[in-house]
mmCIF file of all heavy atoms in Angstrom:
data_model
loop_
_atom_site.group_PDB
_atom_site.id
_atom_site.type_symbol
_atom_site.label_atom_id
_atom_site.label_comp_id
_atom_site.label_asym_id
_atom_site.label_seq_id
_atom_site.Cartn_x
_atom_site.Cartn_y
_atom_site.Cartn_z
ATOM 1 N N VAL F 1 -192.780 112.221 164.533
ATOM 2 C CA VAL F 1 -193.117 113.366 163.549
ATOM 3 C C VAL F 1 -194.012 114.308 164.341
ATOM 4 O O VAL F 1 -194.869 113.824 165.230
ATOM 5 C CB VAL F 1 -193.738 112.859 162.269
ATOM 6 C CG1 VAL F 1 -195.112 112.154 162.579
ATOM 7 C CG2 VAL F 1 -193.872 113.959 161.252
ATOM 8 N N LEU F 2 -193.944 115.606 164.117
ATOM 9 C CA LEU F 2 -194.829 116.583 164.695
ATOM 10 C C LEU F 2 -195.978 116.669 163.862
ATOM 11 O O LEU F 2 -195.901 116.862 162.584
ATOM 12 C CB LEU F 2 -194.136 117.909 164.876
ATOM 13 C CG LEU F 2 -192.973 117.972 165.862
ATOM 14 C CD1 LEU F 2 -192.426 119.397 165.831
ATOM 15 C CD2 LEU F 2 -193.345 117.494 167.229
ATOM 16 N N VAL F 3 -197.239 116.682 164.375
ATOM 17 C CA VAL F 3 -198.453 116.844 163.663
ATOM 18 C C VAL F 3 -199.075 118.159 164.063
ATOM 19 O O VAL F 3 -199.336 118.251 165.218
ATOM 20 C CB VAL F 3 -199.356 115.550 163.924
ATOM 21 C CG1 VAL F 3 -200.697 115.744 163.190
ATOM 22 C CG2 VAL F 3 -198.681 114.325 163.633
ATOM 23 N N VAL F 4 -199.337 118.972 163.069
ATOM 24 C CA VAL F 4 -199.962 120.280 163.306
ATOM 25 C C VAL F 4 -201.337 120.192 162.622
ATOM 26 O O VAL F 4 -201.218 120.055 161.340
ATOM 27 C CB VAL F 4 -199.113 121.441 162.871
ATOM 28 C CG1 VAL F 4 -199.854 122.711 163.185
ATOM 29 C CG2 VAL F 4 -197.764 121.426 163.419
ATOM 30 N N SER F 5 -202.377 120.210 163.313
ATOM 31 C CA SER F 5 -203.803 120.208 162.710
ATOM 32 C C SER F 5 -204.512 121.546 162.950
ATOM 33 O O SER F 5 -204.440 122.072 164.056
ATOM 34 C CB SER F 5 -204.459 119.005 163.213
ATOM 35 O OG SER F 5 -203.875 117.791 163.049
ATOM 36 N N TYR F 6 -205.341 121.829 161.964
ATOM 37 C CA TYR F 6 -206.207 122.953 162.156
ATOM 38 C C TYR F 6 -207.612 122.431 161.808
ATOM 39 O O TYR F 6 -207.900 122.069 160.708
ATOM 40 C CB TYR F 6 -205.868 124.191 161.285
ATOM 41 C CG TYR F 6 -204.616 124.866 161.717
ATOM 42 C CD1 TYR F 6 -203.370 124.473 161.238
ATOM 43 C CD2 TYR F 6 -204.679 125.795 162.724
ATOM 44 C CE1 TYR F 6 -202.218 125.077 161.636
ATOM 45 C CE2 TYR F 6 -203.494 126.456 163.093
ATOM 46 C CZ TYR F 6 -202.329 126.026 162.631
ATOM 47 O OH TYR F 6 -201.066 126.583 163.047
ATOM 48 N N TYR F 7 -208.526 122.538 162.803
ATOM 49 C CA TYR F 7 -209.946 122.033 162.623
ATOM 50 C C TYR F 7 -210.726 123.395 162.341
ATOM 51 O O TYR F 7 -210.781 124.241 163.134
ATOM 52 C CB TYR F 7 -210.505 121.386 163.919
ATOM 53 C CG TYR F 7 -209.691 120.117 164.165
ATOM 54 C CD1 TYR F 7 -208.542 120.138 164.919
ATOM 55 C CD2 TYR F 7 -210.276 118.854 163.683
ATOM 56 C CE1 TYR F 7 -207.812 119.030 165.151
ATOM 57 C CE2 TYR F 7 -209.501 117.753 163.981
ATOM 58 C CZ TYR F 7 -208.300 117.815 164.758
ATOM 59 O OH TYR F 7 -207.650 116.696 165.034
ATOM 60 N N THR F 8 -211.453 123.437 161.192
ATOM 61 C CA THR F 8 -212.019 124.668 160.713
ATOM 62 C C THR F 8 -213.548 124.444 160.390
ATOM 63 O O THR F 8 -213.881 123.268 160.090
ATOM 64 C CB THR F 8 -211.360 125.392 159.564
ATOM 65 O OG1 THR F 8 -211.524 124.422 158.469
ATOM 66 C CG2 THR F 8 -209.910 125.429 159.727
ATOM 67 N N ALA F 9 -214.267 125.491 160.446
ATOM 68 C CA ALA F 9 -215.707 125.438 159.961
ATOM 69 C C ALA F 9 -216.073 126.824 159.642
ATOM 70 O O ALA F 9 -215.529 127.858 160.048
ATOM 71 C CB ALA F 9 -216.496 124.979 161.161
ATOM 72 N N ASP F 10 -217.202 126.948 158.886
ATOM 73 C CA ASP F 10 -217.648 128.282 158.444
ATOM 74 C C ASP F 10 -218.412 129.000 159.520
ATOM 75 O O ASP F 10 -218.690 130.155 159.439
ATOM 76 C CB ASP F 10 -218.480 128.153 157.203
ATOM 77 C CG ASP F 10 -217.734 127.631 156.045
ATOM 78 O OD1 ASP F 10 -216.548 127.967 155.953
ATOM 79 O OD2 ASP F 10 -218.271 126.928 155.119
ATOM 80 N N LYS F 11 -218.857 128.205 160.555
ATOM 81 C CA LYS F 11 -219.516 128.849 161.735
ATOM 82 C C LYS F 11 -219.037 128.045 162.955
ATOM 83 O O LYS F 11 -218.614 126.974 162.841
ATOM 84 C CB LYS F 11 -220.969 128.921 161.619
ATOM 85 C CG LYS F 11 -221.568 127.466 161.545
ATOM 86 C CD LYS F 11 -223.091 127.580 161.337
ATOM 87 C CE LYS F 11 -223.679 126.178 161.357
ATOM 88 N NZ LYS F 11 -225.124 126.217 161.320
ATOM 89 N N MET F 12 -219.228 128.542 164.245
ATOM 90 C CA MET F 12 -219.002 127.814 165.370
ATOM 91 C C MET F 12 -219.709 126.545 165.412
ATOM 92 O O MET F 12 -220.884 126.492 165.259
ATOM 93 C CB MET F 12 -219.371 128.655 166.613
ATOM 94 C CG MET F 12 -218.914 128.022 167.868
ATOM 95 S SD MET F 12 -217.162 128.043 167.942
ATOM 96 C CE MET F 12 -216.777 129.274 169.071
ATOM 97 N N PRO F 13 -218.983 125.330 165.539
ATOM 98 C CA PRO F 13 -219.663 124.057 165.419
ATOM 99 C C PRO F 13 -220.491 123.829 166.676
ATOM 100 O O PRO F 13 -220.125 124.238 167.811
ATOM 101 C CB PRO F 13 -218.520 123.013 165.324
ATOM 102 C CG PRO F 13 -217.256 123.807 165.468
ATOM 103 C CD PRO F 13 -217.561 125.264 165.510
ATOM 104 N N GLU F 14 -221.568 123.059 166.468
ATOM 105 C CA GLU F 14 -222.560 122.679 167.635
ATOM 106 C C GLU F 14 -221.834 121.479 168.384
ATOM 107 O O GLU F 14 -221.156 120.629 167.685
ATOM 108 C CB GLU F 14 -223.841 122.198 167.072
ATOM 109 C CG GLU F 14 -224.677 123.282 166.411
ATOM 110 C CD GLU F 14 -225.045 124.386 167.433
ATOM 111 O OE1 GLU F 14 -225.448 124.050 168.593
ATOM 112 O OE2 GLU F 14 -225.052 125.616 167.041
ATOM 113 N N PRO F 15 -221.883 121.449 169.626
ATOM 114 C CA PRO F 15 -221.349 120.397 170.337
ATOM 115 C C PRO F 15 -222.001 119.054 169.919
ATOM 116 O O PRO F 15 -223.161 118.906 169.763
ATOM 117 C CB PRO F 15 -221.701 120.574 171.829
ATOM 118 C CG PRO F 15 -222.087 122.039 171.910
ATOM 119 C CD PRO F 15 -222.523 122.478 170.549
ATOM 120 N N LEU F 16 -221.116 118.028 169.734
ATOM 121 C CA LEU F 16 -221.445 116.714 169.239
ATOM 122 C C LEU F 16 -222.007 116.576 167.977
ATOM 123 O O LEU F 16 -222.428 115.466 167.546
ATOM 124 C CB LEU F 16 -222.281 116.030 170.427
ATOM 125 C CG LEU F 16 -221.725 116.004 171.771
ATOM 126 C CD1 LEU F 16 -222.855 115.478 172.773
ATOM 127 C CD2 LEU F 16 -220.532 115.188 171.832
ATOM 128 N N SER F 17 -222.169 117.658 167.197
ATOM 129 C CA SER F 17 -222.748 117.502 165.872
ATOM 130 C C SER F 17 -221.977 118.353 164.898
ATOM 131 O O SER F 17 -222.501 118.522 163.726
ATOM 132 C CB SER F 17 -224.260 117.808 165.811
ATOM 133 O OG SER F 17 -224.403 119.261 166.175
ATOM 134 N N GLY F 18 -220.799 118.875 165.193
ATOM 135 C CA GLY F 18 -220.169 119.923 164.329
ATOM 136 C C GLY F 18 -219.245 119.075 163.358
ATOM 137 O O GLY F 18 -219.135 117.843 163.520
ATOM 138 N N GLY F 19 -218.741 119.806 162.414
ATOM 139 C CA GLY F 19 -217.735 119.271 161.478
ATOM 140 C C GLY F 19 -217.319 120.375 160.610
ATOM 141 O O GLY F 19 -217.734 121.426 160.636
ATOM 142 N N GLY F 20 -216.290 119.980 159.857
ATOM 143 C CA GLY F 20 -215.815 121.035 158.874
ATOM 144 C C GLY F 20 -214.611 120.450 158.213
ATOM 145 O O GLY F 20 -214.249 119.189 157.985
ATOM 146 N N LYS F 21 -213.748 121.344 157.778
ATOM 147 C CA LYS F 21 -212.446 120.950 157.051
ATOM 148 C C LYS F 21 -211.321 120.849 157.968
ATOM 149 O O LYS F 21 -211.139 121.688 158.948
ATOM 150 C CB LYS F 21 -212.198 122.078 156.005
ATOM 151 C CG LYS F 21 -211.306 121.584 154.839
ATOM 152 C CD LYS F 21 -211.413 122.639 153.730
ATOM 153 C CE LYS F 21 -210.694 122.055 152.487
ATOM 154 N NZ LYS F 21 -210.788 123.103 151.444
ATOM 155 N N LEU F 22 -210.391 119.918 157.769
ATOM 156 C CA LEU F 22 -209.250 119.614 158.592
ATOM 157 C C LEU F 22 -208.058 119.979 157.625
ATOM 158 O O LEU F 22 -207.907 119.417 156.567
ATOM 159 C CB LEU F 22 -209.227 118.229 159.074
ATOM 160 C CG LEU F 22 -207.933 117.776 159.701
ATOM 161 C CD1 LEU F 22 -207.676 118.462 161.051
ATOM 162 C CD2 LEU F 22 -207.920 116.250 159.949
ATOM 163 N N TYR F 23 -207.117 120.714 158.245
ATOM 164 C CA TYR F 23 -205.890 120.989 157.520
ATOM 165 C C TYR F 23 -204.716 120.347 158.361
ATOM 166 O O TYR F 23 -204.683 120.718 159.643
ATOM 167 C CB TYR F 23 -205.604 122.474 157.397
ATOM 168 C CG TYR F 23 -206.588 123.101 156.498
ATOM 169 C CD1 TYR F 23 -207.841 123.562 157.078
ATOM 170 C CD2 TYR F 23 -206.389 123.305 155.180
ATOM 171 C CE1 TYR F 23 -208.728 124.223 156.271
ATOM 172 C CE2 TYR F 23 -207.309 123.990 154.333
ATOM 173 C CZ TYR F 23 -208.466 124.455 154.826
ATOM 174 O OH TYR F 23 -209.387 124.998 154.102
ATOM 175 N N GLY F 24 -204.021 119.433 157.836
ATOM 176 C CA GLY F 24 -202.905 118.741 158.483
ATOM 177 C C GLY F 24 -201.568 118.972 157.958
ATOM 178 O O GLY F 24 -201.439 119.099 156.707
ATOM 179 N N PHE F 25 -200.532 119.091 158.867
ATOM 180 C CA PHE F 25 -199.198 119.338 158.415
ATOM 181 C C PHE F 25 -198.317 118.430 159.230
ATOM 182 O O PHE F 25 -198.495 118.145 160.408
ATOM 183 C CB PHE F 25 -198.782 120.768 158.728
ATOM 184 C CG PHE F 25 -199.703 121.771 158.111
ATOM 185 C CD1 PHE F 25 -200.831 122.227 158.675
ATOM 186 C CD2 PHE F 25 -199.431 122.286 156.794
ATOM 187 C CE1 PHE F 25 -201.734 123.209 158.049
ATOM 188 C CE2 PHE F 25 -200.201 123.288 156.194
ATOM 189 C CZ PHE F 25 -201.296 123.739 156.854
ATOM 190 N N LEU F 26 -197.319 117.860 158.518
ATOM 191 C CA LEU F 26 -196.352 117.020 159.228
ATOM 192 C C LEU F 26 -195.036 117.778 159.223
ATOM 193 O O LEU F 26 -194.548 118.140 158.170
ATOM 194 C CB LEU F 26 -196.119 115.621 158.532
ATOM 195 C CG LEU F 26 -197.480 114.831 158.450
ATOM 196 C CD1 LEU F 26 -197.170 113.472 157.685
ATOM 197 C CD2 LEU F 26 -197.952 114.444 159.842
ATOM 198 N N VAL F 27 -194.396 117.852 160.360
ATOM 199 C CA VAL F 27 -193.220 118.642 160.519
ATOM 200 C C VAL F 27 -192.084 117.797 161.148
ATOM 201 O O VAL F 27 -192.373 117.081 162.065
ATOM 202 C CB VAL F 27 -193.431 119.813 161.464
ATOM 203 C CG1 VAL F 27 -192.212 120.669 161.664
ATOM 204 C CG2 VAL F 27 -194.507 120.757 160.814
#
């Protein structure tokens, strides 16, 4: 299956401490 993911955040994440919302799609 093809996995298409978008890692998002409201601001540029800091290295090693960032996080945010993940949008995932299966194709």
